[in-house]
């Protein structure tokens, strides 16, 4: 369920902003958002978030978002600048912060029960 929430939030943010800032098609933007979500879930949530804290995981997710988006933009020849990719990565990072807060709350409530 947490992955689906992350996919929906990241998908909405990344897909919308990629289509706004560049010539990315819906399919290309949605595919990139899905790949980013999978990477961020495995590395950011399952590894970094579990072993550190929300702030480190959020910053890591933002950096991963920038790298994935930059690689996708380069590979697919999208018309998006490094600054625009940074904006998308920062907004994605803010969304991740709130997703992580939800994950922490769920984990804490399960431990108490």
């Amino acid at each position: 369920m947490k992955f689906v929430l992350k996919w929906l939030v990241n998908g909405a943010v990344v897909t919308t902003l990629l289509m706004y800032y560049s010539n990315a098609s819906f399919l290309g933007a949605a595919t990139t958002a899905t790949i980013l979500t999978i990477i961020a879930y495995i590395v950011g949530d399952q590894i970094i978030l579990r072993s550190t804290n929300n702030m480190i995981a959020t910053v890591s997710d933002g950096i991963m978002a920038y790298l994935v988006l930059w690689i996708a933009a380069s590979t697919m020849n999208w018309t998006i600048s490094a600054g625009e990719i940074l904006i998308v990565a920062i907004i994605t990072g803010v969304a991740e912060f709130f997703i992580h807060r939800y994950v922490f709350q769920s984990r804490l409530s399960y431990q108490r029960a």
Side-chain angles (χ1 to χ4, degrees):
M1 183 66 182
K2 293 173 187 171
F3 176 79
V4 173
L5 172 67
K6 184 180 193 81
W7 181 62
L8 290 172
V9 171
N10 281 346
V13 169
V14 173
T15 302
T16 302
L17 291 175
L18 282 177
M19 290 178 65
Y20 177 76
Y21 283 123
S22 73
N23 62 339
S25 67
F26 175 77
L27 184 60
T31 302
T32 301
T34 299
I35 292 168
L36 173 59
T37 301
I38 292 167
I39 293 169
Y41 182 76
I42 293 169
V43 176
D45 294 357
Q46 298 301 312
I47 298 171
I48 296 172
L49 182 59
R50 288 177 184 237
S51 62
T52 62
N53 61 39
N54 189 11
M55 191 54 65
I56 293 172
T58 299
V59 170
S60 299
D61 281 338
I63 292 168
M64 281 186 287
Y66 186 89
L67 292 172
V68 169
L69 295 173
W70 181 77
I71 291 168
S74 295
T75 303
M76 296 185 221
N77 293 318
W78 288 339
T79 56
I80 187 169
S81 70
E84 292 165 338
I85 293 172
L86 181 61
I87 290 169
V88 177
I90 289 171
I91 293 171
T92 302
V94 170
E96 288 287 341
F97 176 81
F98 290 105
I99 293 170
H100 294 161
R101 283 188 59 184
Y102 167 74
V103 169
F104 271 135
Q105 290 299 329
S106 296
R107 191 173 351 155
L108 290 174
S109 66
Y110 287 133
Q111 289 176 349
R112 291 182 190 151

